Amino acid sequence: IQTMSPTSKPMVTAAAVATTAGLYLLYSRNRDDKSKIPKELLQSPHAAELKLAVRLAKKAGNNMKGYIETKGTSEAANYSLNIETKSGATDFCTKVDVENEDMIMAAIQESFPTHEIIGEETTGTGEIPKLKKDAKTWIIDPIDGTTNFSVGIAMTCVSIGFCVDGYPVMGVIYAPASDEWYMGVKGYGSFRNGVRILQQTSSSTKSIEKAVICCEFGYSRKQHEIDAMLGAVSRILARGCRAIRQLGSGCLDLCYVASGRLDVVYSGIVNEGWKPWDYCAGLVICQEAGCIMETIDQTTPGEFDLYGKSILCGVSRELVDECRAVLTKK
């Protein structure tokens, strides 16, 4: 029988307190400057581009904060968004979208004049330029979750991705309302607020029954499209998922999967799929965190198609495959 001396319990308690305090100090230190780039990422060959992306994301995020923080208050009258529609009433941009993109593009062109840039607002409703194998290319979403931003909902962010040889290698996503930073570089890991994020194979969610699943409906409003999207949600719910969520920011959806806040995100049941600026930075962050990112109709493993019409991203292979089987069931 093990006995305990009168002094042993306080010693154990003190050790536990010291450990907890140490973890708290580590967490607090990382929170002091969440935009500080982890040393691991600075060792990558894309450190210069990463430093610029962080600086520009912070500036763009600060440009968003005033509107988000004053929405619904007497000070909101000081801010005008000058909303302009693009493909329809549900697809629009604000003057802050344009200001952010102009600022980011100008700074990139000054620092890296030979690099190419694909921006959401510059592209507009026109054809999206294809990535060139022999060009280094930035892909920018100056405000992801524009609808959320326009009504003051905190789920909105700035997304800046960088591609080499036609594929994403670096991503920075900044959510100014929550002051959260996500950074990833291919081969060097993903981080949230300076702390490594990684989905463990042994503990990640493997089945729909234990999953929190996110979907996005996008701009589809035709009845047959609505029926198809709701049918997919119905099949997921019938399978017994823990919860369904729709957050309104594809880039943050991906960050939340990468960090385990969500188990799966999908979109693209009809024509509500995303665009390269929704995928680019988040793809690096998710893959470096150990997540699986594919199109819904993908049948063989391979590189994710930035120009694809759908997305299915999850924390484990088992969960992604099960969700695909349910989503594609007729």
Side-chain angles (χ1 to χ4, degrees):
I1 299 174
Q2 184 176 2
T3 60
M4 181 178 293
S5 69
T7 58
S8 62
K9 186 174 182 179
M11 288 175 63
V12 171
T13 303
V17 169
T19 300
T20 303
L23 290 172
Y24 176 76
L25 288 173
L26 175 63
Y27 179 68
S28 299
R29 185 170 68 249
N30 286 318
R31 287 179 62 88
D32 288 341
D33 184 6
K34 300 177 184 179
S35 65
K36 184 177 180 180
I37 301 173
K39 63 181 185 299
E40 294 91 338
L41 299 185
L42 291 174
Q43 295 171 0
S44 81
H46 312 298
E49 290 87 353
L50 177 60
K51 290 177 183 178
L52 178 62
V54 169
R55 178 167 65 84
L56 297 178
K58 178 180 285 188
K59 190 172 182 180
N62 288 339
N63 197 30
M64 299 163 63
K65 283 184 177 179
Y67 183 81
I68 296 172
E69 292 173 354
T70 60
K71 175 66 177 177
T73 72
S74 59
E75 296 181 1
N78 297 327
Y79 295 87
S80 174
L81 293 184
N82 294 345
I83 292 175
E84 296 182 6
T85 59
K86 293 191 284 188
S87 63
T90 59
D91 181 15
F92 60 87
C93 73
T94 71
K95 73 171 185 177
V96 183
D97 290 81
V98 177
E99 289 171 357
N100 280 358
E101 185 160 309
D102 287 348
M103 177 273 296
I104 293 170
M105 291 183 69
I108 292 172
Q109 289 166 347
E110 180 179 355
S111 298
F112 300 101
T114 63
H115 291 189
E116 299 197 358
I117 306 171
I118 299 173
E120 177 178 9
E121 306 313 328
T122 321
T123 302
T125 57
E127 184 178 355
I128 303 172
K130 295 294 184 180
L131 286 171
K132 299 176 183 178
K133 286 286 186 180
D134 58 348
K136 295 180 178 180
T137 306
W138 299 73
I139 300 184
I140 304 161
D141 195 339
I143 299 181
D144 182 61
T146 297
T147 300
N148 284 353
F149 170 71
S150 70
V151 296
I153 294 176
M155 289 293 298
T156 183
C157 65
V158 181
S159 178
I160 301 176
F162 180 63
C163 303
V164 176
D165 297 330
Y167 204 71
V169 296
M170 182 273 289
V172 171
I173 294 176
Y174 175 45
S178 59
D179 196 27
E180 282 198 328
W181 286 88
Y182 292 85
M183 306 176 195
V185 176
K186 188 175 182 179
Y188 291 83
S190 292
F191 296 78
R192 183 182 71 205
N193 297 338
V195 181
R196 183 74 185 265
I197 51 177
L198 186 64
Q199 293 301 312
Q200 302 293 338
T201 304
S202 60
S203 59
S204 60
T205 304
K206 303 291 194 301
S207 67
I208 288 178
E209 289 184 351
K210 297 181 179 179
V212 176
I213 297 176
C214 179
C215 64
E216 298 291 353
F217 287 165
Y219 309 132
S220 298
R221 296 296 183 270
K222 295 179 180 178
Q223 189 59 53
H224 71 279
E225 296 172 343
I226 295 171
D227 291 343
M229 291 186 294
L230 292 179
V233 172
S234 177
R235 293 193 296 275
I236 290 287
L237 287 170
R239 194 67 168 244
C241 74
R242 182 162 290 174
I244 285 277
R245 296 289 181 264
Q246 186 170 140
L247 305 182
S249 168
C251 294
L252 285 180
D253 291 344
L254 294 176
C255 289
Y256 281 18
V257 172
S259 54
R261 290 173 171 170
L262 296 171
D263 295 303
V264 172
V265 60
Y266 76 85
S267 187
I269 296 299
V270 284
N271 66 356
E272 84 286 11
W274 303 348
K275 302 295 192 298
W277 42 79
D278 300 308
Y279 298 132
C280 185
L283 173 61
V284 179
I285 293 166
C286 282
Q287 290 185 334
E288 287 300 307
C291 299
I292 309 296
M293 186 161 160
E294 299 174 342
T295 58
I296 291 176
D297 58 356
Q298 191 164 327
T299 56
T300 57
E303 291 185 345
F304 178 77
D305 182 7
L306 286 179
Y307 295 82
K309 298 300 182 183
S310 67
I311 179 175
L312 176 58
C313 180
V315 297
S316 70
R317 165 54 62 191
E318 295 90 340
L319 183 55
V320 167
D321 287 347
E322 185 183 2
C323 284
R324 175 179 287 113
V326 173
L327 293 173
T328 58
K329 184 178 180 181
K330 300 300 183 181

